[in-house]
């Protein structure tokens, strides 16, 4: 049965003192250290996967999330999927919250041989609230990076995937993230129109 969560409504204008003190008490450095193993993993839009992890962390903080397990998981959410033979015990034994962080990372990790659409449906149907929030922040980072991609077919596919699978997740857990994702889809599709890709596609030229 599908879970229903209390949607986070307000996006903070700035971090208040209570949030700062809460963030101060979270030891993120050990997880960031694990994430540096992704520095050599290049991204389609440029940069590397380590920067993407930190960007996802920043997006969560931007939206007012100061949950220790969620923030720690954001730092390492692609390690299991993108590092061959990654030792999961490095996350589990990182600190006292390691097992919880590992469980959350597994929720947002596509399993070997699992089709992408099935993976995203799994998050929609079975994902925890934290997994859904993390996936939305992850996709916001990816959609922003999509602005540096010049492959129109890749952009079109990624926008369609975001619309069909990620928007329902965002609508369930964070309306502000939902709005940002819609705006990102609109701007990326406008690029496809302005580049002439949509017109050529309609004319059967591609």
């Amino acid at each position: 049965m599908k879970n229903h969560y209390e949607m986070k409504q307000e996006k903070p204008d700035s971090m208040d003192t209570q949030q700062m003190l809460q963030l101060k008490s979270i030891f993120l450095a050990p997880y960031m250290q694990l994430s540096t193993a992704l520095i050599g993993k290049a991204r389609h839009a440029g940069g590397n996967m380590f920067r993407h992890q930190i960007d996802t962390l920043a997006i969560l903080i931007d939206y007012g999330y100061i949950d220790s397990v969620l923030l720690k998981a954001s730092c390492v959410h692609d390690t299991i999927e993108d590092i061959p033979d990654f030792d999961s015990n490095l996350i589990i034994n990182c600190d006292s919250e390691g097992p919880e962080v590992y469980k959350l990372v597994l929720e947002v990790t596509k399993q070997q041989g699992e089709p992408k659409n099935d993976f995203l449906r799994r998050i929609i149907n079975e994902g925890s609230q934290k997994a859904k929030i993390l996936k939305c922040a992850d996709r916001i980072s990816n959609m922003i990076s999509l602005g540096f991609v010049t492959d129109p077919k890749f952009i079109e596919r990624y926008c369609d995937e975001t619309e069909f699978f990620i928007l329902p997740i965002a609508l369930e857990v964070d309306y502000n993230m939902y709005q940002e994702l819609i705006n990102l889809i609109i701007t990326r599709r406008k690029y496809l129109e302005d580049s002439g890709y949509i017109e050529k596609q309609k004319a059967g030229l591609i």
Side-chain angles (χ1 to χ4, degrees):
M1 184 176 179
K2 187 175 180 180
N3 293 322
H4 293 280
Y5 306 112
E6 182 179 349
M7 185 183 298
K8 185 177 177 64
Q9 295 287 346
E10 298 299 328
K11 184 176 184 297
D13 293 327
S14 61
M15 182 183 294
D16 61 28
T17 301
Q18 182 179 354
Q19 289 175 316
M20 180 274 292
L21 292 173
Q22 188 176 346
L23 182 60
K24 180 182 178 182
S25 69
I26 300 173
F27 294 97
L28 292 172
Y31 291 90
M32 290 182 177
Q33 182 183 31
L34 292 181
S35 186
T36 58
L38 287 162
I39 288 176
K41 184 77 174 179
R43 304 194 75 204
H44 193 62
N48 61 49
M49 290 301 295
F50 167 72
R51 297 181 194 177
H52 167 61
Q53 313 299 290
I54 304 307
D55 189 36
T56 304
L57 167 68
I59 289 168
L60 288 169
I61 294 174
D62 179 29
Y63 276 93
Y65 293 103
I66 313 291
D67 176 89
S68 58
V69 171
L70 180 60
L71 296 186
K72 289 172 180 179
S74 71
C75 293
V76 292
H77 72 271
D78 282 320
T79 52
I80 295 175
E81 186 173 334
D82 288 347
I83 300 176
D85 301 318
F86 178 78
D87 184 359
S88 300
N89 287 316
L90 293 173
I91 296 176
I92 294 171
N93 298 323
C94 203
D95 62 10
S96 62
E97 290 185 319
E100 290 182 76
V101 173
Y102 174 65
K103 181 180 178 182
L104 179 53
V105 170
L106 281 185
E107 284 194 80
V108 297
T109 297
K110 188 170 77 68
Q111 303 303 312
Q112 188 172 6
E114 184 179 29
K116 183 70 173 293
N117 289 356
D118 290 348
F119 160 60
L120 295 173
R121 288 191 187 98
R122 171 162 61 82
I123 296 178
I124 291 173
N125 296 324
E126 303 173 17
S128 65
Q129 184 176 27
K130 288 180 183 178
K132 292 182 177 186
I133 292 168
L134 178 53
K135 190 59 190 174
C136 290
D138 169 58
R139 184 53 64 110
I140 288 172
S141 172
N142 287 334
M143 286 295 292
I144 291 171
S145 297
L146 199 62
F148 299 95
V149 175
T150 56
D151 179 351
K153 289 185 178 180
F154 181 88
I155 295 171
E156 181 182 41
R157 177 179 64 79
Y158 212 75
C159 284
D160 288 345
E161 183 182 278
T162 302
E163 180 179 0
F164 297 147
F165 295 106
I166 309 301
L167 286 185
I169 296 174
L171 185 59
E172 184 178 347
V173 295
D174 194 311
Y175 189 65
N176 288 299
M177 285 186 169
Y178 171 76
Q179 289 182 308
E180 181 170 3
L181 285 164
I182 287 178
N183 289 332
L184 287 166
I185 292 171
I186 290 171
T187 58
R188 290 352 175 211
R189 284 183 171 157
K190 187 175 187 307
Y191 165 78
L192 294 178
E193 291 180 6
D194 293 345
S195 67
Y197 173 78
I198 300 297
E199 186 177 347
K200 290 178 182 178
Q201 188 181 57
K202 289 180 179 179
L205 299 176
I206 52 176

